[in-house]
Amino acid sequence: MGTVPVPREDRSLRHMMEKAGAEGVVVVGRGEARWEDKNGNTFRFHPNLSALRIKELASGGTDALVTAANLKPGDRVLDCTLGLGADSIVSAHAVGEEGEVIGLESQPVIAALVDYGLNHYLSDSPRLNRAMRSVRVVCADYREELPRLEDGSFDVVLFDPMFRQTVKRSSGVQALKVLANPAPLDRQSVSEAKRVARKRVVLKERLMSGEFERLGFRVEKEASNHAFGIIETRT
């Protein structure tokens, strides 16, 4: 995706988009970066529930993703669908400084804004800040990236495709859906993920979506609005 930097000069964003014939703009300034389109949709990075999830883990509690993926300190995690980055952030906390989390995001605007947010968002929690800073963002489509990776090069591979029906009360997800790649997970990518993952491949989906059965995942953990399916890869 090509971008052209344009000084705002007190013009409205709508006027700038109309003049440039653009569907949306990325606004950068005063320590913030966000995307807006002509319909008023706005997307910006925020750690969202990852802050509460990390706090729960730090106090000795559990997290559905961490349990489903069986994440341990030192694990290498490949998040194939970065999105807002919450699962990558929580994974980074779980694997600690000895581990590594790489988040793939196929959509350049999302990748750029989330990468910027992970490196610049400042919270009151040192744990959250450390986790955010340790996630490495790669703008790439997992369909193209997975076949390039070596066998067993990660411990866990995560998939969280965009739900066909998103949670309406989640404004962050609704904004993300406008920009996100809507393609469903395919069997070939699952096969590649099984080759790449030493321990587990994990899929986050709605329980009644039919995706777990279609793609060969066993439901391991149910959460409030979704469930986690796993494929064990270690013999």
Side-chain angles (χ1 to χ4, degrees):
M1 177 183 293
T3 58
V4 178
V6 178
R8 186 165 182 177
E9 298 175 343
D10 296 323
R11 292 174 293 177
S12 71
L13 295 179
R14 178 171 291 276
H15 173 74
M16 294 179 69
M17 283 185 271
E18 289 175 352
K19 186 173 181 180
E23 294 297 318
V25 294
V26 174
V27 183
V28 181
R30 297 183 182 179
E32 182 197 47
R34 71 182 189 277
W35 172 87
E36 292 190 23
D37 70 6
K38 293 191 294 187
N39 298 318
N41 295 302
T42 301
F43 174 80
R44 56 166 58 83
F45 170 81
H46 191 279
N48 295 311
L49 290 176
S50 63
L52 294 176
R53 293 166 64 187
I54 287 175
K55 184 177 180 180
E56 176 69 14
L57 287 168
S59 65
T62 61
D63 180 82
L65 170 65
V66 174
T67 300
N70 193 27
L71 294 180
K72 303 294 183 184
D75 279 350
R76 296 191 75 223
V77 179
L78 180 67
D79 185 348
C80 288
T81 47
L82 178 68
L84 287 164
D87 286 341
S88 281
I89 296 169
V90 174
S91 296
H93 171 77
V95 304
E97 295 181 2
E98 303 84 5
E100 182 181 18
V101 176
I102 295 177
L104 303 182
E105 175 53 58
S106 64
Q107 305 305 93
V109 170
I110 298 175
L113 292 182
V114 174
D115 188 35
Y116 181 90
L118 288 168
N119 285 286
H120 291 86
Y121 188 94
L122 188 61
S123 80
D124 295 329
S125 167
R127 292 189 186 92
L128 177 60
N129 291 331
R130 282 195 298 270
M132 289 190 294
R133 304 295 185 265
S134 66
V135 176
R136 182 157 69 90
V137 177
V138 176
C139 184
D141 190 321
Y142 63 77
R143 293 168 179 79
E144 300 173 0
E145 192 69 15
L146 281 169
R148 300 187 183 121
L149 299 176
E150 295 181 1
D151 294 2
S153 51
F154 286 85
D155 293 290
V156 176
V157 175
L158 306 177
F159 290 106
D160 180 10
M162 181 59 63
F163 295 158
R164 305 281 79 78
Q165 294 181 337
T166 56
V167 182
K168 289 185 168 45
R169 67 173 178 269
S170 176
S171 59
V173 173
Q174 289 298 323
L176 174 67
K177 191 173 183 180
V178 177
L179 290 169
N181 185 340
L185 180 58
D186 60 284
R187 290 188 179 91
Q188 182 59 37
S189 293
V190 173
S191 178
E192 292 288 354
K194 289 162 61 177
R195 178 184 60 79
V196 169
R198 284 189 291 264
K199 290 169 50 176
R200 288 184 175 185
V201 180
V202 180
L203 171 64
K204 180 179 178 181
E205 254 292 355
R206 293 201 180 282
L207 184 60
M208 305 306 293
S209 67
E211 290 296 271
F212 296 118
E213 295 81 4
R214 180 177 73 86
L215 297 166
F217 286 81
R218 183 184 83 246
V219 175
E220 174 77 3
K221 186 74 176 179
E222 294 184 33
S224 57
N225 295 303
H226 54 268
F228 291 95
I230 68 167
I231 296 175
E232 297 277 6
T233 59
R234 181 163 53 189
T235 57

